[in-house]
Each structure stands twice: as C-alpha cells, then as structure tokens.
Amino acid sequence: MLDEALTENIGSPPLLGVSRSLCGKRWRLRAADETAVVTIARQQGIPDALARVMAGRDISADAAAGFLTPRLRDSFPDPSDFADMDKAAGLVWDAIEADRPMAVFADYDVDGATSAAQLIRYFRHFGRSAEIYVPDRIEEGYGPSGAAFETLQQRGAELVITVDCGAAAHAALAHAAGIGLDVIVIDHHLMDDAMPPAAALVNPNRPDDHSGCGHLAAAGVTFIFLAALNREGRRRGTITADNEPSLLDWIDLAALGTICDVVPLTGINRAITAQGLKAMSGWRHLGLRCLAETSGVEGEATTYHAGFLIGPRINAGGRVGKSDLGATLLTTQDEALARRIAGELDALNAERRGIEADVLDAATAQLTAQASDRAILVAAGEGWHPGVIGVVAGRLKERFDKPVIVIGIDRTASPPIGKGSGRSVPGVNLGGAIAAAREAGLLISGGGHAMAGGLSVDPDRITELVAFLDARLAPELAAAADDMALKADGVLSASGITPELAHMLERAGPFGQGNAEPRFVLPRMRVSFAKRVGTDHVRFTLSDLDGRRVDGISFRCADTPLGEALLAAGPDLYHAFGRLKLDTWQGRERVQLHLEDLATAAE
C-alpha cells in the first residue's frame, strides 16, 4: 500500500518528535551544514537564523553575498546556449527590416499575457506593431490551431510568434507550414522527441537544448529572447547606443509571469523576480498600476501582490471572460481603456471566485471519498467550468498533499470531451506522467511540466486514465515522502521573534516555488486567546511558559482540527509551526506568526 511505502521512505527523524501533527503532517528540520551556517553568519554579518535559512537551501559561503543581493548579470544565461535562439532572433529582425506583418499568438494565462506584452512593447520601441491573438478557452481550447493560423494569415500576418504554447502543436504547425505561414515558437513546456515543423523553436525543455534553463517560465524565456534580439540588432548595426532598448523596461512583466507560473525561484528566475519586483514597485507600467489600484495594492510590490492579487485578475479574463483582456491591458497606452479593462477584470475575478467555490465543494466531496492509498486524486464533473479547474486542482493539492487533476466534462460536444487541469507536489512529475498517458493513447492531448499539466480525454476513458497515472506516480510519491514533510528552518523562542529578525529574513527572498518562505517552530506554547474572524480564519495569541506572547493568524482553518484547537484556548501545550510576517499599524511595526500547524507537546 502507498501509506506503507511513504513510511518506509521517510529518512530523517521528526522535529521535536512530531510524526503526526494536528494537520496530519510530519515535521522535520531542514538539513543545513553547520560549518556553512557559522561561516555565512560571520562573513555576511547576519543572524544565525538567516544563515541557517541560506545553508538549508544549499547556499555556500562563497555564494552567500550573491544570494543576498541577486543580480541579473550574475546568473543571466548566454542566449546562444538555447537551441534556435539566434535563428529566431535573426528571423524576427529579417521581418522587422523587411516590414513584414507580424502577430503574437499567446496563451490565455498570466505567463502568456506577460510574454506577449514584452514582445509587443519591444516591437513598439522600433516603431513596429504586431497583432495579439489569444484563443478563447471555451471555443478554441489551449494552444494554436490550423484555423487560428489561417485567421492570422487572412489578416495579413506573414510571421507568427507563439508564446507559452506551441511546442506540442504538431498538427497546427504543419498546417501553418502548408499554407506558407512562418511560425516561431517561444515556449517552456515539456515536449517529446518529435520536433514540430516550426521556422524556429525556442524551448529550454526541448530534448536537444543544452542551456540548462528548463526551470524558466515562458515570460523568462521571452526575456532572454529580447536579449538575443538586442544582440542581433547590434550585430546588424540596426541597434546603436542611441536607440538600444533597456530590457529593464520590461523586467516587471517577466517577473509577473515567472511568479504566476509557479516556477522555481532559483538562479535566473530569482534574479528576474527580485529585480522585476523593484521595477514593478514604481508602478510606471500603466496596466499594472491600474490593476494595483483596483486590487488595493499599495507600496512596494511583493510576490504576494503579484501572485494573489494582480495575477488572478489577469487570469480572470482567460478563465471566465474575454481571453485577450489581460494581454490588451498590459500593452495599451490608453489610460481610459486600461482603467476600464482593470475594472472589468476585477468584476470577472469576483465571478470566477463564485464559480470556483461551487466546483471546489463538489470536487472536494469526490476526493474525500476516494481511496487513501491512491497516488493521484482525480475529480470529474459535468459542466464544470474549464476556466477554474486549474485553481481548484491547486487548492485540493494543498489539502490532500497529493497530485490532483480536476476534469470538466462537456457532453454537449461532439464527441463528448473532458478537459482537465492538474497540480502536483514536489518530487512528482505530473507533466511527464500526462505526456506518457498521451503516448499510451489514453488522451486526446496533454502535456505540461513537473508541477502542472493539462489534458483532454474521452470521458469514458477517465477510469482507465486514473489507473495508468496511479501506477506510474506511486513510486515517485513514495520517494518524495520526506520532501512532503513540513520543513522548519529552525526553532525560535518567543523572545527571539522581533521586527529586526523579520526584516533580515526578507533578504532571503523573493519567496516562492523552489525558494520557500522560512518556517520556524515555537516550542511549548499555550493558546491564551483565539477568535474566529472572517469566514474561516482564526486570530490568536500564544504564550510561552514565561508569559511572553506572540500574536498571529491562521487562515482557512476554523473548521479543521487546527482551528478547533486554537478556538478551545486553554492550558494545553503545543508546538507551533509557521512564518514570521511584519505588520505595520499606525507607524508601529510588529511581528505576527502566520500559523500553519500545531502539534501536541508533552507537559
């Protein structure tokens, strides 16, 4: 059974003996080389807690200074290391110099919109325009099609650049070649050995690419492509010191796409994100500024603002509204239009949340009833909106700690079809499994990357598909068991939680996939106060045995064992697991604990 395999693969001892917390988790201390901790702390003049966070992420003493101050020049790859990058740059400049009409075909999510916006703004710098085409999620589905390429050609396009899609669109690209339409593909999704017939295909995940940048989002690949375009323009003498565009003008877009596509924030991704958030914080980009105002974002931009406030609103257009709204907002120079679209996206986002809640409730009921030893959980329902299934899969993945696929079935289609979206857990390659299922003939289409994937399937073959994926992913999930434990970066006392420490810990950011926000354990605490707030959040105060207090909040927990323990506030002792967050109120800074788990402590 899978549960037995999970137990067998747990390698390190539980932290404070917590093998099963109130949330059913195992805790462990993130491994860190003690010599590195001491050396980093001494050389960089930083607290031991921050040095331990860095060492726990395999940052060496030699790399510590660069980690604390991530710079593009330290991690920026050579564009020529990407297969077809120079070829693609040459084709684009050929088109610019010959004044050939161009179009950008973009996926309908944030990664696609920000990739398209970078190209459009780059072309605009040189007085060139390009049409943006974003397929309708419901009517056209994911990625390019022969019909879409024909439409673009009829509108005058002679060169089409696909962004965040196209690497697996064999039939569509063959059709484009057949009608004499040149297509350049800029993508990052996993692909098989068969190369589609594109004029150029730039994808760090193509089998013959040796750039080592497979962790980039499409927005990051596009940003590297802009560097290749600058270099090619200089080589031709078209770009000079007087007209060379600064890539930093568009790094906020690259950062937004990187954050929202949940790729690892390590290496070049972390540098793009760090520098991009600084640029974004000036709110000079019209579309982003309007979205920030609509969503209540103020001050410096953070990964939270990008990933949970701005990004979802851009996505809402592709999920439940007009698919091109996000890309239009990010490229328009018309303030009135930008404000109107930002308001429309805000309304669509509210609509999306309502639809999402209904699907989430129904899918949760299905997964709760499924076998506990399954390696993957799959929920399917008729009429489920394809625009929300990915978000629902992500929420369910967090709840069940397993890969989850949510499938919306459309039986009005001829033939009936199920469109699914999946999210995975660390160490389990869902995109690879979906690709294998496609190769085995179980899917109409499908692909993705390690942490996410999409598919189309005959509804009558869903049971067969689940069996295939379960068998394939069970060994990976078992091997990843230790990675799925809650990992603490250290143990802190209540007296050690200060604004100064919280500020120092922020230097390890930006945080996200692949660079987790530091977590700490506070041992032997009592809940001295707790109150339910909002729909299902709990505010609380913890006190240690000496009476020192720590205030905090736990989100979406009120009706769970964690929330029940908090709300029962009493003499019981608990170990607390969570993140430190700075909170400013009336000019005074304090630290809150964002609690994620509790474990019973011995008296």
Side-chain angles (χ1 to χ4, degrees):
M1 300 292 282
L2 181 61
D3 286 345
E4 295 173 352
L6 291 176
T7 302
E8 291 171 0
N9 279 275
I10 291 174
S12 56
L15 176 62
L16 298 178
V18 179
S19 56
R20 188 171 183 83
S21 67
L22 296 191
C23 292
K25 302 282 190 177
R26 182 176 184 275
W27 296 1
R28 72 174 178 85
L29 185 66
R30 192 183 296 273
D33 181 271
E34 294 299 327
T35 300
V37 172
V38 173
T39 304
I40 292 172
R42 183 183 69 251
Q43 290 181 350
Q44 303 303 321
I46 59 176
D48 178 82
L50 175 55
R52 187 170 297 279
V53 166
M54 295 167 62
R57 285 149 181 76
D58 296 324
I59 305 302
S60 67
D62 291 340
F67 179 85
L68 291 169
T69 310
R71 299 180 300 182
L72 282 172
R73 66 184 181 187
D74 293 336
S75 55
F76 204 87
D78 183 343
S80 296
D81 289 343
F82 291 72
D84 272 7
M85 182 72 85
D86 292 335
K87 180 181 180 182
L91 290 170
V92 168
W93 270 109
D94 287 345
I96 292 175
E97 292 175 346
D99 203 21
R100 295 180 70 200
M102 295 182 290
V104 177
F105 186 107
D107 189 19
Y108 33 62
D109 66 359
V110 179
D111 197 19
T114 53
S115 298
Q118 289 180 73
L119 287 176
I120 295 300
R121 288 176 173 270
Y122 186 90
F123 296 152
R124 187 180 292 158
H125 178 86
F126 293 101
R128 299 293 189 271
S129 62
E131 178 181 356
I132 297 180
Y133 187 104
V134 183
D136 183 272
R137 182 187 291 265
I138 305 298
E139 299 296 328
E140 300 178 79
Y142 170 79
S145 65
F149 283 143
E150 285 188 13
T151 297
L152 287 170
Q153 188 179 57
Q154 290 165 6
R155 293 176 182 173
E158 296 180 10
L159 174 66
V160 176
I161 306 171
T162 72
V163 288
D164 196 28
C165 58
H170 293 266
L173 289 167
H175 187 84
I179 62 175
L181 181 65
D182 292 332
V183 180
I184 294 172
V185 174
I186 307 290
D187 204 350
H188 72 125
H189 292 98
L190 297 176
M191 53 187 297
D192 54 31
D193 292 334
M195 296 292 292
L201 194 156
V202 180
N203 182 349
N205 283 308
R206 60 182 273 182
D208 60 342
D209 186 277
H210 303 294
S211 65
C213 292
H215 62 304
L216 282 168
V221 180
T222 303
F223 191 70
I224 306 300
F225 183 49
L226 298 188
L229 288 172
N230 267 0
R231 187 166 64 182
E232 176 65 14
R234 290 193 301 269
R235 187 188 69 79
R236 296 179 180 221
T238 308
I239 290 180
T240 66
D242 294 330
N243 70 347
E244 180 168 350
S246 170
L247 300 189
L248 295 181
D249 288 344
W250 306 297
I251 196 170
D252 51 0
L253 293 169
L256 181 61
T258 297
I259 293 166
C260 292
D261 219 51
V262 201
V263 293
L265 294 188
T266 57
I268 181 60
N269 283 345
R270 184 165 176 265
I272 287 173
T273 301
Q275 298 302 318
L277 288 173
K278 291 179 182 178
M280 194 185 299
S281 296
W283 303 112
R284 292 175 296 177
H285 188 292
L286 175 60
L288 294 182
R289 182 171 71 249
C290 290
L291 278 176
E293 292 171 356
T294 300
S295 55
V297 175
E298 296 180 351
E300 293 186 1
T302 66
T303 52
Y304 172 78
H305 294 146
F308 294 94
L309 296 178
I310 294 174
R313 284 167 170 78
I314 295 174
N315 269 335
R319 295 191 187 282
V320 297
K322 291 177 59 179
S323 58
D324 63 351
L325 285 176
T328 301
L329 175 65
L330 296 179
T331 54
T332 185
Q333 296 173 298
D334 183 329
E335 184 165 353
L337 177 61
R339 292 191 179 281
R340 179 180 66 76
I341 293 177
E344 188 173 351
L345 288 173
D346 188 57
L348 288 170
N349 192 50
E351 179 183 346
R352 186 268 308 168
R353 287 197 298 265
I355 297 171
E356 176 190 317
D358 292 339
V359 175
L360 178 62
D361 288 344
T364 300
Q366 285 190 29
L367 299 195
T368 301
Q370 291 183 15
S372 62
D373 62 348
R374 286 256 298 271
I376 186 167
L377 302 177
V378 180
E382 293 190 24
W384 287 359
H385 198 295
V388 303
I389 55 176
V391 180
V392 171
R395 292 193 181 278
L396 292 172
K397 178 262 296 187
E398 294 295 334
R399 173 168 178 168
F400 291 98
D401 278 329
K402 292 181 179 180
V404 171
I405 296 176
V406 178
I407 301 173
I409 298 173
D410 182 3
R411 294 202 178 273
T412 66
S414 182
I417 190 171
K419 295 183 178 180
S421 185
R423 300 293 184 269
S424 193
V425 296
V428 180
N429 188 344
L430 181 60
I434 290 174
R438 184 191 69 233
E439 293 169 5
L442 295 172
L443 297 175
I444 299 170
S445 63
H449 49 81
M451 296 298 290
L455 57 85
S456 296
V457 62
D458 179 341
D460 293 334
R461 303 197 72 179
I462 291 177
T463 299
E464 189 180 357
L465 171 66
V466 172
F468 176 90
L469 294 175
D470 188 50
R472 180 181 177 91
L473 293 178
E476 290 187 31
L477 186 63
D482 205 36
D483 286 336
M484 292 166 58
L486 286 183
K487 302 177 190 65
D489 290 281
V491 178
L492 295 176
S493 65
S495 62
I497 298 177
T498 64
E500 292 74 22
L501 175 61
H503 274 295
M504 291 298 293
L505 291 172
E506 287 181 342
R507 298 184 65 188
F511 302 115
Q513 180 71 29
N515 186 38
E517 193 167 356
R519 267 78 171 173
F520 296 94
V521 170
L522 282 67
R524 299 174 63 78
M525 307 291 289
R526 288 192 173 95
V527 183
S528 55
F529 164 81
K531 177 183 179 181
R532 187 172 186 144
V533 294
T535 303
D536 53 2
H537 313 314
V538 177
R539 287 197 176 278
F540 59 82
T541 298
L542 302 181
S543 301
D544 67 11
L545 298 181
D546 294 322
R548 290 170 294 203
R549 302 189 308 172
V550 177
D551 295 326
I553 188 168
S554 185
F555 295 103
R556 294 186 295 275
C557 78
D559 299 316
T560 69
L562 172 59
E564 291 167 359
L566 289 170
L567 292 169
D572 293 340
L573 285 175
Y574 294 100
H575 303 311
F577 184 105
R579 299 165 289 151
L580 306 185
K581 289 288 188 179
L582 278 168
D583 181 50
T584 303
W585 175 251
Q586 295 182 339
R588 178 174 172 268
E589 279 190 334
R590 62 188 183 121
V591 181
Q592 280 193 329
L593 176 68
H594 282 202
L595 185 73
E596 299 177 3
D597 204 357
L598 286 175
T600 302
E603 291 290 341

